[in-house]
Amino acid sequence: MAYAYDDQNIFAKILRGEIPNTTVLETAHSLAFRDLYPQAPTHVLVIPKGPYVSYDHFATEASDAEIIDYTRAIGEVCRMEGVTLDGNEGFRMISNAGPHGVQEVPHLHVHILGGRDMGRMVEKPA
């Protein structure tokens, strides 16, 4: 499958410095910043700096260095925000992909949400 990356998406513009953000963490291959419209007390977006549309795109085409950096950046954001299971109540990590996943920005990103009970993600089947 060919992945079509739109370099005019809002996260690409943030990475180029065209749109400001409130940075939580920046590494060689990743950027984490606060969501403009937080859905929980902790709501941080973590994006790779490379042009990846979704997690499956990233997992198949990113370098080992990018994958390690991104994964470690997510862990560090959770630690920095105090939502890890190490003495805390936990978090939800969401990554939407494509139209069925209701992805709004076509650049891989995960939402780290915490600081309250997030409720069920989907209803239990009847």
Side-chain angles (χ1 to χ4, degrees):
M1 173 182 177
Y3 293 90
Y5 182 78
D6 173 11
D7 67 359
Q8 294 305 305
N9 75 70
I10 190 168
F11 295 162
K13 291 177 180 182
I14 287 171
L15 287 168
R16 290 193 300 267
E18 296 170 10
I19 297 174
N21 73 89
T22 303
T23 298
V24 171
L25 175 71
E26 184 167 7
T27 66
H29 299 287
S30 305
L31 178 66
F33 52 92
R34 303 219 179 272
D35 193 291
L36 284 177
Y37 305 101
Q39 303 297 304
T42 295
H43 192 165
V44 177
L45 300 169
V46 187
I47 65 174
K49 290 182 177 179
Y52 302 104
V53 176
S54 59
Y55 199 87
D56 59 314
H57 183 204
F58 178 74
T60 58
E61 296 187 16
S63 70
D64 290 350
E66 289 173 299
I67 292 169
I68 291 167
D69 180 278
Y70 188 61
T71 301
R72 296 261 166 87
I74 291 167
E76 180 62 12
V77 166
C78 291
R79 186 197 65 75
M80 292 170 66
E81 294 295 307
V83 296
T84 64
L85 290 180
D86 184 22
N88 297 297
E89 296 296 321
F91 62 95
R92 175 169 292 154
M93 183 171 80
I94 301 171
S95 180
N96 302 320
H100 285 188
V102 195
Q103 183 177 9
E104 294 179 4
V105 179
H107 185 110
L108 168 61
H109 57 288
V110 296
H111 297 257
I112 304 296
L113 300 138
R116 69 171 174 83
D117 184 325
M118 301 307 298
R120 294 196 58 82
M121 238 171 61
V122 294
E123 293 297 317
K124 288 183 179 181

